[in-house]
Amino acid sequence: MNVLTENFSLYGKGFLGTVELTVYASVLALVLGFVMASCRVSPVGSFRALGTAWVTVLRNTPLTLLFFAVLLGLPRFGLVLPFQLFAVLALGCYTSAFICEALRSGINTVPLGQGEAARSLGMTFGQTLSTVVLPQAFRSVIPPIGSTLIALAKNSAIAGAFSVVELLGTYKTLNELGYSVIWSFVWIAVGYLIITLTISALFHLLEKRWGVAR
């Protein structure tokens, strides 16, 4: 316990850093995922092409490479931001591709007749998607979105290699101070377990409230 008690503030900063990364990147991923899913099912060909390109590129790009591209590439174009914000952009954009595909799979479960009925009533594509299709699709995609956000929380560990304060990065300081590497990682694992179990519990409640009964 001395590894934790003697370095509680260090663990606390790392834990809060990971929580912040997870929350901000999750919000960005959900927003972008919704936008790209809308593009993927849009009747406009250029929008569908944009959504397809977004998903194809990001899903097939290693996250570490994306971190390098964002943290080292964007400043070359004059965009200089705090490292934490760069990490949020990398994590959020990467995860949005998976959120997009989860939402698209949910949209595909909604019977075509629902959309046709909405259009016959004079609804636009945006109205049909937001008021008829997505509310029904959301019920079936709660579990996969929850799993994706849990993966995002664990992927945030990569940010520590890019000077971002997060939980996994605390092991470097603890190692320099001479603490046991094993116990340092044990308490880091406990921190990640708390975060992932919290996300899991939240989505379990959402699934219990709105999920499709099976």
Side-chain angles (χ1 to χ4, degrees):
M1 287 293 293
N2 66 309
V3 176
L4 177 64
T5 56
E6 294 174 7
N7 300 279
F8 193 77
S9 61
L10 179 64
Y11 273 114
K13 289 179 181 177
F15 182 83
L16 290 176
T18 296
V19 170
E20 289 180 357
L21 275 177
T22 301
V23 171
Y24 295 148
S26 295
V27 172
L28 179 60
L30 289 169
V31 171
L32 286 177
F34 167 76
V35 172
M36 290 302 156
S38 300
C39 289
R40 291 276 274 162
V41 298
S42 171
V44 181
S46 56
F47 286 170
R48 291 199 303 273
L50 172 63
T52 301
W54 182 272
V55 170
T56 301
V57 171
L58 291 176
R59 287 184 71 186
N60 294 285
T61 301
L63 181 55
T64 305
L65 179 59
L66 187 59
F67 264 89
F68 275 111
V70 171
L71 272 77
L72 302 180
L74 292 182
R76 292 179 178 271
F77 295 94
L79 186 58
V80 180
L81 299 170
F83 278 3
Q84 185 181 33
L85 187 51
F86 279 132
V88 168
L89 287 173
L91 280 169
C93 290
Y94 177 78
T95 308
S96 70
F98 297 90
I99 296 291
C100 170
E101 287 301 273
L103 286 173
R104 189 171 72 93
S105 67
I107 290 172
N108 288 337
T109 65
V110 179
L112 290 175
Q114 297 285 324
E116 293 172 352
R119 287 191 294 273
S120 69
L121 294 175
M123 290 186 178
T124 63
F125 170 75
Q127 291 172 330
T128 301
L129 190 66
S130 61
T131 62
V132 177
V133 177
L134 281 178
Q136 297 181 69
F138 174 73
R139 299 179 63 196
S140 64
V141 301
I142 293 174
I145 288 180
S147 298
T148 301
L149 295 185
I150 288 174
L152 183 153
K154 294 184 287 186
N155 286 338
S156 67
I158 297 176
F162 296 90
S163 303
V164 177
V165 177
E166 53 79 45
L167 189 56
L168 183 62
T170 59
Y171 89 91
K172 299 175 185 176
T173 303
L174 294 172
N175 188 45
E176 292 172 357
L177 293 174
Y179 287 97
S180 169
V181 174
I182 294 176
W183 283 106
S184 297
F185 279 111
V186 165
W187 291 115
I188 288 171
V190 170
Y192 278 107
L193 190 62
I194 292 172
I195 294 171
T196 54
L197 287 179
T198 300
I199 297 173
S200 179
L202 174 61
F203 276 85
H204 177 72
L205 290 175
L206 291 175
E207 185 180 8
K208 190 175 181 180
R209 175 66 178 82
W210 287 301
V212 177
R214 300 189 186 279

